[in-house]
Amino acid sequence: MTMGSLFLLSLMSTTANGSYVDKVDVAGATLHVEIRQPVQEKKAREIVDWVRATANTVNLTYGRFPNPSPKVVVIPSIGGRWGGDSAVTFGRVTRWDGETIELFVNPDRPIEEFYEDWTATHEFSHLMLPLLSREYRWISEGFATYYQNVLMARAGRYTPEFAWQKLVAGFERGQDSRPDLSPNEAAREGIAGARMKIYWSGAALALLADIELRERSNGAESLDSVLDEFQACCLPSRRTWSGQRLLSQLDTFVDEPVFMPLYRQYANRQGFPEFDKALSDLGVAGHYGEIRLRDDARLAHIRQAISGSR
């Protein structure tokens, strides 16, 4: 079935204020979608199908959606905070009344551009972790940033080369951002003062953990499998977690601790997690714009398992 015909299957209805509402069923969840006005009905139906596709992209982590009944609110917003003229101008997760993903979109953009945009994948990926207190925002933002790229590759929205280009470029931006701060200090400083360090130091930590788990277990363990166990035991969560509590919990799902040793190594140290050797071992060579993927590298099979299409 083509993307263009999917919207015909929607059971969309409207509320008293004219918003379109629908329920989207995916593995492990029913998403309650509200699309606020002004959006034409045909575009609203296309957006619902895009929400479904994005949820299924996140399901490529461990086979089901991390929250069984989240709300998704789509808000028309042309020229939003960060997105300029892009299809998805901004996104965020709120958790004070359950978990709600708010997506600010430009309904005038072609629906194909929605599928190419990473914002919704990033926001949906946040639901794989609980709310963390401010000092540890670099962990939650970093894990979502890591997954937005590898999941877009797994879903075929990105080529593997493009996904790794984006990761390498992000690591380099994070490395250059506020080298005087540790990740915990950067999170306390806030987005305005250390945005790139906050987003990309946590992504580097996620990659390092994923590599170590996959290598030492010959593929039996991974960041995917750990988050699968975490979802089964602990999500959705109504409490605010510390970074140490989260990472200690993740370590209970593996044979030997990985997450807390990485935290102790990097969380309070100035600079950025060391990623060059990890990329070289994976066969990711060069810098942003000049990436080459080498299949003869020692851990090329792990790179392929992380970013290969599903």
Side-chain angles (χ1 to χ4, degrees), residues 27-256:
T30 296
L31 284 65
H32 303 270
V33 182
E34 175 186 354
I35 302 175
R36 295 183 180 168
Q37 291 294 346
V39 179
Q40 294 181 354
E41 183 176 358
K42 180 178 183 296
K43 177 54 71 72
R45 292 179 183 275
E46 292 175 339
I47 289 173
V48 167
D49 288 327
W50 163 69
V51 168
R52 179 184 293 106
T54 303
N56 283 323
T57 294
V58 174
N59 283 1
L60 295 174
T61 307
Y62 46 73
R64 66 187 183 282
F65 202 73
N67 183 319
S69 187
K71 299 176 184 176
V72 181
V73 181
V74 181
I75 304 165
S77 177
I78 298 173
R81 286 177 66 182
W82 306 111
D85 196 35
S86 61
V88 188
T89 60
F90 185 64
R92 65 185 178 188
V93 175
T94 64
R95 305 186 193 240
W96 51 76
D97 181 23
E99 291 186 325
T100 299
I101 305 99
E102 295 182 341
L103 300 170
F104 296 78
V105 307
N106 182 345
D108 295 333
R109 305 305 301 173
I111 194 63
E112 292 77 14
E113 293 183 13
F114 286 70
Y115 285 84
E116 296 167 359
D117 192 286
W118 54 263
T119 308
T121 301
H122 177 98
E123 300 305 331
F124 283 20
S125 294
H126 270 304
L127 303 189
M128 292 190 283
L129 296 183
L131 177 65
L132 299 186
S133 53
R134 179 178 176 179
E135 181 178 350
Y136 309 103
R137 187 176 183 181
W138 65 277
I139 298 173
S140 57
E141 291 294 354
F143 275 47
T145 299
Y146 175 67
Y147 270 108
Q148 83 190 31
N149 289 290
V150 300
L151 290 174
M152 291 286 278
R154 292 178 189 180
R157 307 293 178 196
Y158 291 169
T159 65
E161 290 82 2
F162 186 64
W164 288 104
Q165 283 179 358
K166 289 179 70 68
L167 285 167
V168 171
F171 294 154
E172 292 177 346
R173 290 197 301 272
Q175 189 175 52
D176 293 340
S177 172
R178 298 301 302 270
D180 56 311
L181 299 179
S182 70
N184 278 345
E185 290 171 334
R188 289 193 292 267
E189 184 80 7
I191 293 294
R195 181 180 181 84
M196 291 296 102
K197 170 155 282 183
I198 290 171
Y199 278 75
W200 288 102
S201 56
L205 187 82
L207 173 64
L208 293 174
D210 206 359
I211 293 170
E212 183 173 347
L213 288 166
R214 291 174 185 271
E215 181 179 13
R216 77 182 190 188
S217 69
N218 197 26
E221 295 177 339
S222 66
L223 188 55
D224 297 345
S225 67
V226 169
L227 293 179
D228 181 8
E229 297 272 6
F230 182 72
Q231 193 277 338
C233 91
C234 305
L235 294 180
S237 175
R238 293 185 176 274
R239 65 181 64 182
T240 300
W241 293 50
S242 71
Q244 295 100 316
R245 181 169 182 260
L246 169 68
L247 298 179
S248 295
Q249 182 68 54
L250 297 184
D251 274 332
T252 67
F253 304 126
V254 296
D255 290 339
E256 297 177 25

